């Protein structure tokens, strides 16, 4: 087995911006970031080549990796401390060798894990100076796989499906200082102490190695070292789901909200599409996918994951839960557009306009059923957890329906109070944020106090969101909204602004508002604008904004009661995002 020379490695060209991002990095490490590694799905299906830079920067992408556990004849495990020149995770202690197979014919070979074994031989030589002649590729034993994400800072992340290899060999180590700063051999007891002790950030244990040592590797592996058949008997074909383990790095810095959403948004959308496209009727499937294909931030869909990452442990079941809730949300939008007689949603035709009314109603009904199908199939949930989860989501759907019914009835009532309005938006909008946050915390393993705190946070964020949504309807233009500006006023919706305005003494401004309120398509654009101006004059817009600010403050107070961590960055930004939408 001969290793690659640096000029023989398959690479992908980096653009000017990408090269610029690496200007301050070590030159050799910058060259290595152009290597073509293997982009894979969550289930380790090959997607194609991707540069090491693209797979590790920003939101990152899942890619194939390997971790070698090299033991000597004394059953001591070789550990390496990564060089401070490394672009990602410099200075941390890791397993013997951890890197990536390249997108080349030899290292794509999945037969008996030969691709990752060849890559291991190559990197053992490059990083540790271990001669390929001193180890046999037949002595590597593939043990299992694990999937994990771990963020170092805003710019860099590991997102890997890691193939774990074990080998016993007495080798001469002559480490490459550009890759490895130091090495040491540890026995089982010494490794356990290393995992338990408090360590300075610059000598921390790498998150992926901590997962291998504490959650994947069992004591029987140590007992089987040196006996290939015994090791093979302990191997499996599973992909152990570690979730996001960024919190395991003491000095990790979390990403912003948009990047955090991008990490998991495609994974949630894949789940939604696979569920909705499973319909045997193409037109029904297309109708169900219509709003999904129109885009969206997917805040509700990713919120269970974001909350769990901040307060506990994550796993792929949270993405299934998010997909179910997002499907419910889009079901409500399909029916809302019918009930509100809105023709445009997200800049495209509403479903009942693009298809027809019966198909839209049927699509909404099917989406609700499919959401619960996805929910009960969620991965990594204990059987006893499924029924309470279904019950809570069903409660959410009922509360949303009750809120929508109040919204419908309010259009025929002049005497809607502020308390009535808050009850309505709690059901129609805020309860979905509450449920996402509460379930995310519960599934993460958080205690009851934290679960209730996150539910309170979700409620405050949801109320702020709806108040801001109402404000945006009167303060934005139609192109920004993707629907006619001021449509809520034209339809006679009893928003907090309208309720406040109607409670004011009679005046010319109030009369102007009453002349357009609920007139629908009969109101002229200039008259509608005059009605919106009247809301400003009556102080109603300022009043609604004050309420939104109060809920925003309440949400931050909830987060202040939690400990800081890398994932809190996104939750704080999400809280601020609601209020910043019209600043």
């Amino acid at each position: 087995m001969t290793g690659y020379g640096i000029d023989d490695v398959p690479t992908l060209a980096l653009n000017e911006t990408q090269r610029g991002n690496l200007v301050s990095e070590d030159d050799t490490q910058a060259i290595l970031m152009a290597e073509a590694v293997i982009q894979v799905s969550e289930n380790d299906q090959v997607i194609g080549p991707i540069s090491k830079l693209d797979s590790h920067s920003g939101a990152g992408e899942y890619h194939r990796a390997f971790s070698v556990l090299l033991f000597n004849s004394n059953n001591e495990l070789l550990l390496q401390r990564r060089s401070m020149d490394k672009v990602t995770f410099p200075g941390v202690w890791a397993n013997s060798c951890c890197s990536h197979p390249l997108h080349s014919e030899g290292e794509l070979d999945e037969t008996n894990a030969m691709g990752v074994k060849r890559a291991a031989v190559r990197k053992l030589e490059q990083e540790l100076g271990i001669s390929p002649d001193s180890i046999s590729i037949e002595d590597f034993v593939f043990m299992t796989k694990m999937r994990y994400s771990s963020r170092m800072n805003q710019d860099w992340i590991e997102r890997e499906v890691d193939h774990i290899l074990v080998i016993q060999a007495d080798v001469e180590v002559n480490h490459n200082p550009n890759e490895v700063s130091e090495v040491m051999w540890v026995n089982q007891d010494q490794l356990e102490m290393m995992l338990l002790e408090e360590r300075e950030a610059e000598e921390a244990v790498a998150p992926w190695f901590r997962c291998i040592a504490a959650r994947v590797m069992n004591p029987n592996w140590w007992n089987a070292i040196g006996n290939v058949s015994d090791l093979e008997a302990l191997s499996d074909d599973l992909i152990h789901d570690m979730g996001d383990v960024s919190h395991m790095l003491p000095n990790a810095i979390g990403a912003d909200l948009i990047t955090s959403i991008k990490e998991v948004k495609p994974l949630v959308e894949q789940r939604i599409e696979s569920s909705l496209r499973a319909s045997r009727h193409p037109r029904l499937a297309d109708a169900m996918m219509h709003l999904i294909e129109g885009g969206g931030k997917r805040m509700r869909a990713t919120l269970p994951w974001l909350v769990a990452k901040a307060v506990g442990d994550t796993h792929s079941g949270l993405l299934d839960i998010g997909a179910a809730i997002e499907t419910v949300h889009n079901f409500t939008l399909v029916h809302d557009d019918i009930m509100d007689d809105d023709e445009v949603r997200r800049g495209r035709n509403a479903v009942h306009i693009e298809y027809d009314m019966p198909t839209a109603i049927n699509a909404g009904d099917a989406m609700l059923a499919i959401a619960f199908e996805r929910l009960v199939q969620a991965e990594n949930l204990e059987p006893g957890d499924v029924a309470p989860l279904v019950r809570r989501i069903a409660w959410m759907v009922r509360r949303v329906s009750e809120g929508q019914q109040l919204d419908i009835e309010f259009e025929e009532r002049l005497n809607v109070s502020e308390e009535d309005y808050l009850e309505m938006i709690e059901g129609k909008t805020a309860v979905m944020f509450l449920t996402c946050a509460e379930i995310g915390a519960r599934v993460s393993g958080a205690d009851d106090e934290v679960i209730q705190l996150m539910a309170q946070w979700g409620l405050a964020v949801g109320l702020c969101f709806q108040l801001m949504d109402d404000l945006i309807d009167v303060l934005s233009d139609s192109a920004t909204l993707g629907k006619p500006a001021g449509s809520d006023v034209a339809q006679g919706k009893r928003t907090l602004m309208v309720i406040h305005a109607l409670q004011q003494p009679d005046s010319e401004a109030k009369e102007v508002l009453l002349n357009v309120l609920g007139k629908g398509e009969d109101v002229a654009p200039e008259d509608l604008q005059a009605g919106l101006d009247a809301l400003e004059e009556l102080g109603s817009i300022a009043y609604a904004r004050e309420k939104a600010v109060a809920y925003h403050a309440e949400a931050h107070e909830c987060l202040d009661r939690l400990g800081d961590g890398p994932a809190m960055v996104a939750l704080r930004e999400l809280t601020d995002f609601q209020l910043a939408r019209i600043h």
Side-chain angles (χ1 to χ4, degrees), residues 5-18:
I6 195 165
D7 295 327
D8 302 321
V9 171
T11 61
L12 295 171
L14 303 182
N15 62 40
E16 185 175 343
T17 300
Q18 292 171 321

Side-chain angles (χ1 to χ4, degrees), residues 461-480:
V461 167
L463 291 170
C464 180
F465 182 95
Q466 185 58 57
L467 283 166
M468 298 308 299
D469 219 41
D470 293 345
L471 283 161
I472 288 169
D473 183 73
V474 302
L475 295 175
S476 295
D477 56 68
S478 299
T480 302

Side-chain angles (χ1 to χ4, degrees), residues 269-279 289 370 374:
E269 290 181 332
Q270 289 165 14
R271 287 163 165 78
I272 294 171
E273 182 167 5
S274 67
S275 293
L276 299 185
R277 288 289 183 196
S279 170
M289 283 294 300
I370 289 169
R374 169 60 67 176

